[in-house]
Amino acid sequence: STNLCQQQNVGEVRIVGAEAGLRSTVGTSLELGGNATFLHLRNERNPGVRLTGIPQAKLTLFGIWRPAESLDVTAFGEQFSGRWASNTVKVGGFAVLNVKLTWRPVRNVSTEVGVTNLLDKNYQLDFGFPNPGRSLFANASYRF
């Protein structure tokens, strides 16, 4: 037999949470920061039906090193708690680390190269739908 699942609007939900963040410069070339978010989820109308797709905790940490005025090296990490994918299936928590190098050769022009999911973590936001592994990217932009 096959388990079937149907998503429905449940009517009335209460989400209560707290978020705190810190950001600070260390010396003249380093900036560190992060924030933490915690949520309490409750289905007011039908407590037996779980709220899906929302992690109850998230931690974000970042560091930006500026070895020169036109150059930034950024590391950005995120840790998510597990989340319910359906009323009976919960996907596990995960952490990802991203790194990028930004160069601004002239005013209003920037180029970036980087890696997302640097540690090649196998994770999913929804059951059966894995997210991409390690990915490389390059961008160029002009602001006007």
Side-chain angles (χ1 to χ4, degrees):
S1 71
T2 303
N3 291 332
L4 300 177
C5 179
Q6 179 185 43
Q7 299 296 322
Q8 298 178 4
N9 289 331
V10 294
E12 190 174 328
V13 170
R14 180 174 303 241
I15 301 175
V16 178
E19 184 172 29
L22 294 172
R23 180 181 212 148
S24 179
T25 55
V26 180
T28 58
S29 63
L30 183 62
E31 184 176 348
L32 300 173
N35 69 310
T37 304
F38 302 95
L39 298 174
H40 175 72
L41 312 169
R42 180 165 167 81
N43 182 340
E44 294 288 332
R45 185 155 301 161
N46 188 352
V49 175
R50 299 198 188 275
L51 303 177
T52 60
I54 304 171
Q56 290 182 299
K58 176 185 173 186
L59 175 66
T60 304
L61 299 172
F62 74 88
I64 303 171
W65 176 47
R66 294 183 178 92
E69 188 174 325
S70 63
L71 189 64
D72 295 347
V73 179
T74 304
F76 182 86
E78 293 181 295
Q79 166 73 45
F80 293 87
S81 67
R83 64 189 81 203
W84 289 97
S86 71
N87 209 43
T88 58
V89 176
K90 187 173 187 178
V91 295
F94 62 90
V96 292
L97 177 63
N98 308 309
V99 178
K100 74 176 179 178
L101 174 71
T102 305
W103 178 49
R104 293 172 302 282
V106 295
R107 182 181 164 108
N108 297 333
V109 174
S110 66
T111 60
E112 296 178 334
V113 294
V115 181
T116 58
N117 195 2
L118 179 66
L119 304 176
D120 201 24
K121 179 72 177 172
N122 183 15
Y123 69 98
Q124 53 190 347
L125 299 178
D126 200 1
F127 184 71
F129 296 94
N131 275 29
R134 183 179 305 121
S135 300
L136 305 174
F137 68 88
N139 298 316
S141 65
Y142 173 73
R143 294 183 187 257
F144 54 93

